[in-house]
Amino acid sequence: MSTAHRAVPRTAPARTAPAVTGPTPPSWCADPYADALRTGRGPLFLRRADGWLLPLDVERWCARADETDLGVVEHCEGAVLDIGCGPGRLVAALCARGGRALGIDVSEAAVAHTVGLGGQALHRSVFEPLPGEGRWGTALLMDGNLGIGGDPYTLLERVAQLLVPGGLLLAETAPVDIDERVQVHLVHAADNGSGRAGESDSGADEGPFPWARLGTPALLRHAARAGWRAAGQWTAGGRSFVALRSRDHGRDHDRDHGLDRTTRSSAEPPNSTAVISSQRAANPSPESPVADA
């Protein structure tokens, strides 16, 4: 987003000690991920130690925001922090609607792609100091980004520090009931003709890093333990979403913003499983966390 005040820096070369300790997965900075973002296509996978592969939906991440993404954008309030913004499709969507947002990502390629779309993004981990801490209206954890750091409770505590009291977290959950914390590798893989994907010769690997996968029931359990309140949940396009409040904000407020405790579903065909993602700000006020970056 363009700003009427001080622009958000497009990179953050200086890395200081994190306010909350947490891992920065090295593999999201590796060549396979950067190459996939540059080309806009995979195949790219997270691989568990037992060889199981989780496909990453690179093509969807690099495309324009679809109807399901725009439904998430509709729920956003105030200045938006997109955690693990990926190539920036949500940043661009918020910008197009006159929203104020900032994307953060540990991948330089993701930050560059977001900036190339006209968005604002910082090369930074969520566990490092961030601009506007305690003043963001909405935080996003889309495309599997609940997995960041492999410790959902620690991640939820960190996000609560970033939001205003009563701030909104919009999170995408796995479409199955799962609560998994594992070590994974990021691999660039190809089908070997047997129906199984095998690691290709071009796949680089910087070693395992912690990741988590949460379905909606698991997220609600972790959120309640961390002091969050459920504000709504829905499904669309084969994807599942949960809205959480960092403080009790009242049911009337949630109802006014289209958030309630019911689950809605669409007739759209399911999309591929995914794990990472994107967002931006226009004319923020001097009090805006975007303006302060």
Side-chain angles (χ1 to χ4, degrees):
M1 304 162 241
S2 61
T3 67
H5 304 280
R6 188 150 49 103
V8 173
R10 296 185 176 179
T11 58
R15 288 180 172 266
T16 55
V20 176
T21 58
T24 299
S27 290
W28 294 116
C29 310
D31 287 341
Y33 184 58
D35 290 345
L37 294 191
R38 289 189 195 100
T39 62
R41 61 182 182 271
L44 201 63
F45 298 85
L46 291 183
R47 187 189 65 199
R48 286 191 320 216
D50 62 4
W52 184 83
L53 296 168
L54 178 67
L56 305 183
D57 201 349
V58 176
E59 288 81 0
R60 180 170 62 79
W61 301 345
C62 292
R64 290 183 180 275
D66 61 19
E67 185 175 350
T68 300
D69 295 324
L70 295 178
V72 173
V73 168
E74 290 281 354
H75 287 312
C76 292
E77 304 168 2
V80 180
L81 181 67
D82 187 9
I83 300 166
C85 66
R89 76 186 192 282
L90 294 178
V91 173
L94 281 166
C95 177
R97 294 182 174 218
R100 295 175 289 128
L102 174 70
I104 60 169
D105 206 290
V106 298
S107 163
E108 292 184 356
V111 170
H113 199 289
T114 301
V115 171
L117 292 179
Q120 292 182 315
L122 288 177
H123 179 214
R124 200 169 298 182
S125 163
V126 65
F127 297 108
E128 293 180 286
L130 295 170
E133 294 203 12
R135 289 186 286 132
W136 294 96
T138 302
L140 297 178
L141 285 169
M142 294 290 109
D143 300 331
N145 281 330
L146 278 169
I148 290 173
D151 184 345
Y153 182 82
T154 297
L155 180 60
L156 288 168
E157 283 198 318
R158 175 56 176 149
V159 174
Q161 294 177 1
L162 301 173
L163 293 173
V164 297
L168 183 66
L169 169 60
L170 300 176
E172 183 172 354
T173 57
V176 294
D177 187 1
I178 189 171
D179 188 354
E180 178 182 67
R181 275 162 293 290
V182 292
Q183 294 286 320
V184 295
H185 294 252
L186 182 70
V187 296
H188 181 197
D191 195 313
N192 61 16
S194 64
R196 285 185 61 191
E199 189 173 351
S200 68
D201 292 338
S202 61
D205 186 357
E206 293 192 0
F209 59 93
W211 198 254
R213 293 180 69 215
L214 299 181
T216 294
L219 173 58
L220 293 177
R221 288 195 301 271
H222 288 289
R225 181 169 153 251
W228 294 80
R229 184 178 66 79
Q233 54 185 280
W234 71 99
T235 61
R239 298 161 63 193
S240 301
F241 304 91
V242 172
L244 300 170
R245 291 278 176 198
S246 59
R247 298 288 186 275
D248 190 3
H249 216 55
R251 294 186 180 184
D252 290 340
H253 182 278
D254 293 332
R255 195 174 296 117
D256 290 343
H257 287 79
L259 297 171
D260 55 38
R261 296 182 183 274
T262 62
T263 302
R264 303 181 295 280
S265 61
S266 75
E268 299 172 58
N271 290 330
S272 302
T273 306
V275 183
I276 281 249
S277 196
S278 327
Q279 284 202 30
R280 179 180 169 194
N283 300 323
S285 66
E287 294 77 24
S288 164
V290 175
D292 288 349

